[in-house]
Amino acid sequence: MNGIPTVPIYGIQVSKLDLKETVSYLTKAILSRRPHQVITANPIMVMTALENPSYMDIMRSAELVVPDGTGVVWAAEHVGNPVKERVAGFDLLHELLKTGESYHWKVYLLGSTPEVIRETASRLQKQYPGIIIAGYRDGYFGPEQDEEVVSGIMDTQPDLLFVARGADSQEPWIAKYKSRLAIPVMMGVGGSFDVISGKSRRAPKTFQKLRIEWLYRLLKEPTRYRRMLALPKFALKVLRDKEKVTKVR
């Protein structure tokens, strides 16, 4: 993965860089105009990849996979090859924009509802006046509109593209069009726009420090329980597989 230290989790090369180092690495990628798909990996995504070969291909071909989920951080520790820290996608987004102010980076926001994306664009522009919100669009479009969306993004020539369409669709969408988009940083950000816009709240610091943000989300959205079942399944699989976890398949 471009010479950076990684730990293989079921063949997915997870970055061992901390948040500050990740921002520095991606800053160099932007300055050199090297396209990067950044995936913020969690256990649910890893389990999906293990069950879906095409999704596994996407995760393995990404230029950078950061350990977003605490389960991924734990798995690296369990196999004796720990990462420096959890690199949450939400934090990475903000740190990139903070850094981008001095460079006047252009940013495109894609996903969520029309109301949420408008409010997100407005708040980010106010919070980081040095960046340029080059464009934004909601995530309610089908494959028949992909060409229009891709062309619209390319017209703005952004340095960063943040996509919030859910892990099951945002990563495949970015992977499908990343060679054409050729944007230095293309990253799926899940529910980050909902938090930034004020529609929802991020887990309190206590939950973050205890590595149980997933529990906060589950308490707030009980309907997520089926999706959350992947977390214990992942933990049990890592415990059962032992040395197989780090073997490339």
Side-chain angles (χ1 to χ4, degrees):
M1 194 182 289
N2 301 301
I4 68 173
T6 62
V7 51
I9 304 294
Y10 293 111
I12 300 167
Q13 297 297 326
V14 179
S15 167
K16 297 178 69 174
L17 301 179
D18 61 22
L19 179 59
K20 183 178 180 181
E21 291 168 336
T22 301
V23 172
S24 177
Y25 173 80
L26 290 175
T27 296
K28 292 175 183 176
I30 293 172
L31 295 177
S32 64
R33 308 306 299 174
R34 288 182 292 136
H36 278 67
Q37 176 174 9
V38 181
I39 292 181
T40 57
N42 60 46
I44 296 173
M45 296 169 74
V46 175
M47 291 301 290
T48 300
L50 288 170
E51 297 167 359
N52 184 337
S54 62
Y55 199 84
M56 178 63 83
D57 288 342
I58 290 169
M59 294 196 73
R60 287 182 174 179
S61 64
E63 284 70 29
L64 183 66
V65 180
V66 299
D68 184 317
T70 56
V72 173
V73 175
W74 167 80
E77 292 174 353
H78 180 71
V79 299
N81 194 359
V83 299
K84 289 186 177 180
E85 67 178 0
R86 178 188 175 215
V87 179
F90 185 86
D91 296 330
L92 181 55
L93 179 154
H94 281 283
E95 289 301 316
L96 284 169
L97 294 184
K98 189 183 298 182
T99 299
E101 285 201 274
S102 59
Y103 296 100
H104 303 296
W105 285 339
K106 293 194 292 183
V107 183
Y108 196 100
L109 309 172
L110 179 67
S112 198
T113 67
E115 296 78 20
V116 166
I117 195 67
R118 280 197 299 269
E119 185 63 21
T120 298
S122 176
R123 291 192 180 196
L124 288 178
Q125 188 65 85
K126 290 176 183 176
Q127 187 173 357
Y128 305 104
I131 66 166
I132 301 167
I133 300 296
Y136 61 86
R137 176 172 178 144
D138 66 73
Y140 288 86
F141 60 89
E144 70 282 356
Q145 294 173 284
D146 278 358
E147 195 64 37
E148 173 194 339
V149 174
V150 170
S151 296
I153 295 171
M154 291 175 67
D155 286 344
T156 67
Q157 298 183 318
D159 300 291
L160 304 105
L161 168 66
F162 295 120
V163 183
R165 301 189 78 197
D168 57 338
S169 59
Q170 64 190 16
E171 268 65 42
W173 193 88
I174 293 172
K176 183 176 181 180
Y177 295 108
K178 70 177 179 181
S179 61
R180 282 186 57 197
L181 290 166
I183 299 168
V185 173
M186 298 166 274
M187 185 169 88
V189 295
S192 293
F193 293 170
D194 287 342
V195 177
I196 294 168
S197 68
K199 180 182 177 182
S200 62
R201 290 181 57 193
R202 191 180 183 190
K205 291 290 185 181
T206 302
F207 282 79
Q208 294 179 42
K209 289 179 180 178
L210 292 174
R211 297 186 179 182
I212 52 172
E213 279 191 85
W214 60 269
L215 178 58
Y216 179 81
R217 290 195 296 269
L218 183 58
L219 292 172
K220 286 290 184 179
E221 301 176 64
T223 54
R224 292 172 62 93
Y225 83 93
R226 289 186 182 277
R227 178 177 171 83
M228 293 293 188
L229 288 175
L231 301 180
K233 288 181 180 178
F234 174 78
L236 288 172
K237 183 170 179 58
V238 171
L239 289 171
R240 184 176 63 245
D241 288 347
K242 296 182 180 179
E243 72 278 357
K244 296 179 183 178
V245 176
T246 57
K247 289 185 177 179
V248 178
R249 299 182 177 186

